[in-house]
Amino acid sequence: MNSKLSLIARQVERREQQQAPAPVETSGIGGAIEAVIERMVEERVAAALAEQRRQLEFNKPKPVTDYRDLPPIPRTRAPKSMECQLYRDELRRVNRISIGTMEFVVQRNEVGQVVRMVPADIAPLPPAAPPADINRGA
């Protein structure tokens, strides 16, 4: 036998010898009181376990044996249709978009490509028109 196995065997034997001896039956009033207390504890534990089992059985879902017993599958609502209107400027380019109750302003770069769409309530104002030259006509 291996030295480690023999060491483990000795430790097991030592633990078995060190275990507490079985309680000695006591007679008299003390023994009777202990027996009554043990019986009461065992009865309460048995009653609590029975109650717990009963609750588990009560809360257990009933097995479904027919597909008609299954609840209907919840369906998502169909998306609400929205109207979209495109507003064009004199060059036929889209400059304002209205979707439902929201309005967006189309912003373009210097080449004329669409860069982004910003909600109309926070969009910056378009550049001001140059002032008219007063001396030009006279």
Side-chain angles (χ1 to χ4, degrees):
M1 190 184 325
N2 193 351
S3 62
K4 285 191 176 186
L5 290 177
S6 63
L7 179 66
I8 293 173
R10 277 188 274 148
Q11 288 176 351
V12 170
E13 287 175 14
R14 201 176 305 134
R15 284 189 190 135
E16 287 175 356
Q17 291 172 357
Q18 289 177 354
Q19 285 183 354
V24 179
E25 293 281 334
T26 57
S27 59
I29 295 177
I33 293 174
E34 285 182 10
V36 168
I37 290 174
E38 277 184 34
R39 232 178 295 126
M40 287 175 55
V41 168
E42 288 176 3
E43 287 173 1
R44 285 187 181 174
V45 168
L49 286 174
E51 177 67 19
Q52 189 178 18
R53 273 191 229 107
R54 188 184 68 77
Q55 291 239 345
L56 286 174
E57 288 295 320
F58 180 75
N59 293 333
K60 186 188 295 185
K62 295 176 181 139
V64 177
T65 57
D66 189 11
Y67 73 93
R68 286 171 265 176
D69 295 338
L70 291 173
I73 298 171
R75 307 260 185 214
T76 57
R77 283 186 18 212
K80 182 177 161 185
S81 62
M82 299 184 88
E83 187 175 307
C84 176
Q85 293 179 337
L86 305 174
Y87 299 98
R88 299 177 182 270
D89 60 4
E90 57 275 353
L91 299 176
R92 305 290 300 151
R93 295 183 306 186
V94 175
N95 64 353
R96 186 174 284 276
I97 299 174
S98 174
I99 302 173
T101 59
M102 298 276 302
E103 273 200 29
F104 297 94
V105 175
V106 176
Q107 293 185 345
R108 300 176 180 275
N109 61 9
E110 52 277 346
V111 183
Q113 298 170 332
V114 175
V115 177
R116 62 183 171 180
M117 295 185 340
V118 183
D121 54 347
I122 64 168
L125 294 174
D133 191 9
I134 299 174
N135 298 328
R136 189 182 338 159

